[in-house]
Amino acid sequence: MDLRGDHPSRRGIGLAAEELAARFLESRGHLVLARNLRVGRGEIDILAEIGGERTVVEVRSRWAASDARSPDPLDSFDAAKARQVRKLAASQPARARRVDLITVRFHRDGVDLLWLPRAG
């Protein structure tokens, strides 16, 4: 992803964040079972096996402007979003009881990634 522009596309940011999240999990020995898994009208970003548990991993991302007032991707994972992700996790084909969250914040100096196990 080219971070040199003023503001990369929302789709580009999302795709890059999901790729980084999947690589992050795999680098720690976890198995990514599926990505962008359609479930009815919803989508599971990542379905993984983490510590022997089927886990849905929600990926939230933001492009950070140069100032400190940039939105935090964690803010976009509110109670309603958590309920939606838990519902997707419980459905077929996911059959996952665990929901983790990975936030990715892109900025001109690099990337900040935060993994919150059992966030949902």
Side-chain angles (χ1 to χ4, degrees), residues 62 64 67-73 103-107 110-113:
R62 291 289 185 267
D67 64 13
R69 295 172 287 150
S70 300
D72 186 333
T103 66
V104 182
R105 189 173 186 191
F106 295 96
H107 48 86
V111 178
D112 299 322
L113 188 144

Side-chain angles (χ1 to χ4, degrees), residues 7-81:
H7 194 284
S9 75
R10 184 175 177 165
R11 178 169 168 71
I13 292 168
L15 291 173
E18 289 175 3
E19 178 67 24
L20 285 172
R23 284 192 212 166
F24 172 83
L25 292 170
E26 290 171 337
S27 74
R28 279 151 182 76
H30 305 300
L31 180 62
V32 173
L33 303 170
R35 291 176 53 188
N36 302 315
L37 180 64
R38 297 294 303 169
V39 178
R41 290 187 288 178
E43 182 180 273
I44 292 171
D45 294 332
I46 297 173
L47 178 63
E49 187 168 314
I50 298 175
E53 293 181 275
R54 286 176 72 90
T55 304
V56 166
V57 180
E58 177 69 8
V59 180
R60 308 302 289 175
S61 59
R62 291 289 185 267
W63 167 256
S66 58
D67 64 13
R69 295 172 287 150
S70 300
D72 186 333
L74 188 56
D75 294 339
S76 68
F77 192 71
D78 58 15
K81 184 64 177 178

